Structures are given as structure tokens and as C-alpha cells.
Amino acid sequence: MADGFTIAIDGPAAAGKGTVSKAVAEYFGFAHLDTGLLYRAVGAKVLAGRDALDAARTLVVEDLEDDSLRTPDVAQAASKVAVIAEVRAALLDFQRSFAARSGGAVLDGRDIGTVICPHARVKLFVTASAEIRAQRRFAELSGRGITDSFETVLADVKARDARDMERVEAPLKPADDATIIDTSRLTIDQAVAAAVAAVQAAGGQKA
Ligand code: DC
């Protein structure tokens, strides 16, 4: 019943789209792919001296399970390899096959509703102001013992926004038919409830 029912969730860094995506996938019993991990895995390999395109073409699922993919350095490296058209092309099939799997799928990223799954049944764009996103990321990093200052985290968020939105290839932007969820003044529960309601309004049901 949920076969081929794809939910595309896009948005800038630290807007809460990962949390919302996980919760929506759990609520409906759908599979979830955090597509940022693909770019992070390629970015991490580039930091280790590999060629970006070669790394993208030879990526395996196990590469996505590395805990070190969550560091600020890898995030910036991911955003840099993500501007390369050939890298994006090399990661396309994996994402489209995941989206088409039986039982329903949630994919989150930057270009899911616009490029990867333009025919997704539901498209959400989860966003928040740069300051609020930096505050959340700062709290998260501090909790993990990473001691970057708030100013550094805010500058990182803004640099990544600029690179992700201004690139020529698949820039970050809401699809024309996306529902915008601004989480600046929402709790996690409220953001998840808004996302679940949007999926239900589009006919989404538990798998
Ligand atoms: O969602 P994230 O912060 O893990 O993503 C890391 C970087 O990867 C992001 O700054 C841009 C890139 N990315 C992308 O270009 N397209 C996607 N679908 C997902 C991530």
C-alpha cells in the first residue's frame, strides 16, 4: 500500500530535518535515508587524500556508518564535494533506488524534492533562521565535547548555506510544491506533528 510512496524532506543545515525525517519514517513505518551522509562519506575520503569522484563512484553502504562523519570538518568537506556535478551524478542511482523501495521511503537532503524525487508524493522544506540553527548546532556540538565557539558555528552554518544555495548544480531551494515548515519557534514535537499532518493530508498511511 505504501509502495513507492516517497516523502522528500529538504532544508538547510541544522534546521531539524534529520530529527523530523527520522520521526516521520518511524511514525509511518517507512525506510529513511539521510542523503547528507553520502556527501559526508565522500567528503571524509577527500580529507583522507582520495579523489572526490573516485570516492563517490566506489562508495559502499558501510561507509555511511562511520561516526566520524558528524564532525564540522567533514560537514564543510561534504558541502564542497557537493558542488561537483559528477559527484552528484554518481550518487543519483543509489538515492533513486532507495526512494522506489517497497514499503515507503523518507529521504532527507538538499535536492530531494527538486532533483532526486521530483514526483515524490509529499515534499517538505524544513527551515529555521541561521541564528537559531547555529544555537542548536552549538548546543549539540558542546554536548559531544567539540569546543568550537558560537561565532565559529554561526560562520560555518552561513558558509554552508551560501555554498549549498548558490551552487549551479541542484542548489538548495524549496520545490514549488513543497510545504514549508519553519521550526524557529517550534518544539521538536510540534515540528514532527506538522510534518506528519502534511503527509497525512497527501494520503500517507502507516505501512
Ligand atoms: O545534511 P548534511 O548537513 O549532513 O549535509 C552535508 C552537506 O552535503 C551539505 O552541506 C550539502 C551536501 N548535500 C547535498 O548537496 N545534497 C543532499 N541531498 C544532501 C547533502
Side-chain angles (χ1 to χ4, degrees), residues 39 88 91-92 95-96 99 107 111-118:
Y39 296 90
R88 306 197 68 85
L91 301 176
L92 196 72
Q95 296 175 82
R96 290 212 172 129
L107 284 81
D111 62 340
I112 308 303
T114 50
V115 175
I116 306 294
C117 304

Side-chain angles (χ1 to χ4, degrees), residues 59-79:
L59 209 64
V60 290
V61 173
E62 290 72 41
D63 291 331
L64 310 183
E65 287 155 13
D66 192 336
D67 276 349
S68 68
L69 299 183
R70 296 277 169 209
T71 64
D73 285 353
V74 172
Q76 290 296 339
S79 173

Side-chain angles (χ1 to χ4, degrees), residues 89-164:
L91 301 176
L92 196 72
D93 283 351
F94 181 81
Q95 296 175 82
R96 290 212 172 129
S97 319
F98 191 95
R101 66 199 282 148
S102 61
V106 179
L107 284 81
D108 77 85
R110 302 290 188 288
D111 62 340
I112 308 303
T114 50
V115 175
I116 306 294
C117 304
H119 303 298
R121 291 282 292 275
V122 188
K123 297 179 187 177
L124 306 178
F125 192 84
V126 178
T127 189
S129 72
E131 283 69 22
I132 298 254
R133 289 186 283 124
Q135 277 168 19
R136 292 177 185 161
R137 186 47 58 89
F138 177 68
E140 180 211 326
L141 292 174
S142 305
R144 282 164 43 202
I146 297 175
T147 57
D148 289 356
S149 69
F150 174 74
E151 287 68 29
T152 303
V153 175
L154 179 60
D156 272 7
V157 162
K158 287 185 172 171
R160 211 136 68 88
D161 280 359
R163 209 182 293 116
D164 294 349

Side-chain angles (χ1 to χ4, degrees), residues 19-53:
T19 307
V20 167
S21 301
K22 245 182 255 146
V24 166
E26 206 165 298
Y27 181 90
F28 289 98
F30 289 10
H32 171 225
L33 177 65
D34 169 359
T35 65
L37 285 179
L38 300 170
Y39 296 90
R40 285 175 183 260
V42 175
K45 285 176 191 281
V46 168
L47 290 178
R50 288 273 300 278
D51 170 69
L53 188 50

Side-chain angles (χ1 to χ4, degrees), residues 185-197:
R185 292 166 201 281
L186 299 183
T187 62
I188 290 174
D189 285 351
Q190 288 170 330
V192 171
V196 166

